[in-house]
Amino acid sequence: MLPILSGAPWLIAHRSMLGINQPYKVTLNGQDYVLWQNSNGEISALNNICPHLQASLADGWICQERNTITCPFHAIEFDGQGRLYQNGNFSTQAITEPLELTVIDDYIWTYNGLAAKIPISSLLTRITKGFEFIGVAGIKSIKGDFLSNLLINYDYNHQNGTHRESFKIKDVAVSDYEEQGYTTKLSQTITRDENTLQEIINNPALLIIPKKFTNQFEYAFPCLTSFIAQIPIGQIIQIHALYPETEAQTKTFVMLFGRFKNTIIGSFLKKSVLKAADEIIRQDTNAIEKSYKRSIPKIRLPNEEIMFYAEKLYQEW
Ligand SMILES: [Fe+2]
């Protein structure tokens, strides 16, 4: 396939997703890679196809002693530079291709081996300063093209339908919209209905979401959507990452951060915050996977120009 948004920086994982000495498979723009992190936190990435008889390296295992990945088919080893380890020696030349990564703090970025067109956004480091990392949720491979997945994140009306069930959203008001090239910002004020006791038991995170609250959104096109939710007990940051696996498959994951006035309540809520993010992704996935092929809309809703701006950035890339 032709790469989608060639030269865009893609956030392919948060460090916590990799584990230690475990192969982690990433599909980006139709190509498969294997990543692994050693106990010193060094991260390697190679083409996932074994250059011997084309097995999937991600199904193999890590040799900790040499920091190599072992092919599951014939147990041959490769280091992070793509060199073969055989009979006690490393080959002088690489025989398979490493994937170039840029690791900033705990964030693993790549240009997919293509020439960089825009810089890596500073959003992650900037907005999470002073926040505690809660975890990653909603890791999902969605059957849907990249653009459809991108646009749902810029769509301020889908909450009324897609997320109605769990969050009882009555109204979403958007203000302070600001465009600056690939960065867009806005404020969103959400008004909710009461939840039933059963809904709260199923999702205790609802208890901390008031009837009316404001989210501060910031986007770094094409791969990051972030928002800071101001709630009575503190602040929660959700950052959605998105990258194209293939033309018809898109990967997403959500990184969560919190700053709580009361640390005991905060630690009690972490699990349900992660669960709520899982649920949001499940609902978005359902909306995308069940929709028909996109065509020109015959109806306009308020604030859709924000979504069309993102579409324009995509089309004019
Ligand atoms: Fe959504």
Side-chain angles (χ1 to χ4, degrees):
M1 68 178 273
L2 276 174
I4 289 167
L5 303 175
S6 176
W10 299 110
L11 180 76
I12 50 171
H14 179 273
R15 189 185 286 280
S16 65
M17 295 160 74
L18 299 186
I20 304 288
N21 293 317
Q22 279 166 17
Y24 183 85
K25 188 179 162 193
V26 167
T27 303
L28 177 59
N29 272 322
Q31 285 171 292
D32 287 352
Y33 302 99
V34 60
L35 274 66
W36 72 96
Q37 171 175 223
N38 69 10
S39 50
N40 299 327
E42 291 156 354
I43 299 166
S44 306
L46 291 180
N47 181 339
N48 191 46
I49 305 172
C50 179
H52 174 219
L53 290 176
Q54 292 69 53
S56 163
L57 293 178
D59 294 324
W61 62 94
I62 305 301
C63 165
Q64 295 184 32
E65 195 193 329
R66 290 181 286 278
N67 194 24
T68 51
I69 185 147
T70 313
C71 176
F73 204 167
H74 301 90
I76 48 181
E77 296 175 39
F78 303 93
D79 70 3
Q81 296 168 51
R83 299 180 305 173
L84 171 71
Y85 179 80
Q86 219 175 17
N87 309 321
N89 291 301
F90 280 102
S91 62
T92 46
Q93 303 270 314
I95 64 157
T96 185
E97 313 83 51
L99 172 69
E100 202 179 312
L101 303 175
T102 305
V103 181
I104 303 170
D105 302 332
D106 290 331
Y107 311 109
I108 302 155
W109 293 87
T110 183
Y111 282 97
N112 201 13
L114 301 162
K117 183 166 168 165
I118 58 171
I120 290 172
S121 166
S122 63
L123 181 148
L124 292 166
T125 309
R126 180 166 38 81
I127 71 166
T128 59
K129 210 173 196 171
F131 278 77
E132 183 196 345
F133 176 62
I134 297 176
V136 176
I139 305 172
K140 198 134 196 191
S141 192
I142 302 170
K143 282 190 216 82
D145 60 280
F146 182 77
L147 183 61
S148 304
N149 278 279
L150 177 81
L151 294 186
I152 200 167
N153 287 341
Y154 285 82
D155 175 355
Y156 297 92
N157 302 294
H158 86 281
Q159 285 96 332
N160 304 357
T162 310
H163 305 302
R164 170 185 50 100
E165 200 188 310
S166 22
F167 301 99
K168 297 270 188 85
I169 294 164
K170 269 205 298 208
D171 183 57
V172 179
V174 173
S175 60
D176 306 327
Y177 177 60
E178 226 182 277
E179 271 171 26
Q180 248 184 0
Y182 295 111
T183 308
T184 45
K185 291 180 186 179
L186 57 94
S187 299
Q188 177 196 55
T189 302
I190 290 181
T191 315
R192 307 193 318 120
D193 258 335
E194 296 284 339
N195 284 104
T196 62
L197 184 62
Q198 193 54 52
E199 284 163 346
I200 291 167
I201 292 168
N202 291 343
N203 181 9
L206 290 170
L207 273 180
I208 59 163
I209 311 176
K211 294 287 107 61
K212 196 169 182 165
F213 66 103
T214 301
N215 292 327
Q216 223 64 50
F217 272 77
E218 184 173 337
Y219 294 91
F221 181 90
C223 66
L224 298 179
T225 300
S226 73
F227 66 91
I228 306 180
Q230 306 285 349
I231 52 170
I233 68 148
Q235 293 165 304
I236 292 175
I237 302 181
Q238 274 198 28
I239 304 171
H240 292 235
L242 212 58
Y243 65 85
E245 291 191 311
T246 65
E247 271 152 357
Q249 195 88 20
T250 305
K251 182 80 172 223
T252 192
F253 59 92
V254 184
M255 295 165 287
L256 292 132
F257 301 81
R259 185 152 67 185
F260 302 106
K261 288 174 190 157
N262 181 322
T263 47
I264 298 167
I265 297 179
S267 56
F268 166 75
L269 283 168
K270 283 176 194 163
K271 241 191 196 155
S272 43
V273 167
L274 291 166
K275 198 176 148 199
D278 269 337
E279 182 60 12
I280 290 170
I281 296 300
R282 192 193 62 77
Q283 292 167 345
D284 283 341
T285 304
N286 190 49
I288 290 167
E289 292 188 346
K290 292 205 169 142
S291 292
Y292 294 93
K293 194 170 173 273
R294 288 168 56 78
S295 67
I296 296 163
K298 291 188 179 168
I299 302 154
R300 286 294 295 261
L301 294 177
N303 301 306
E304 284 189 325
E305 54 280 8
I306 302 164
M307 179 168 77
F308 294 123
Y309 179 69
E311 185 165 17
K312 184 172 155 252
L313 291 177
Y314 180 92
Q315 304 295 3
E316 294 176 359
W317 179 258

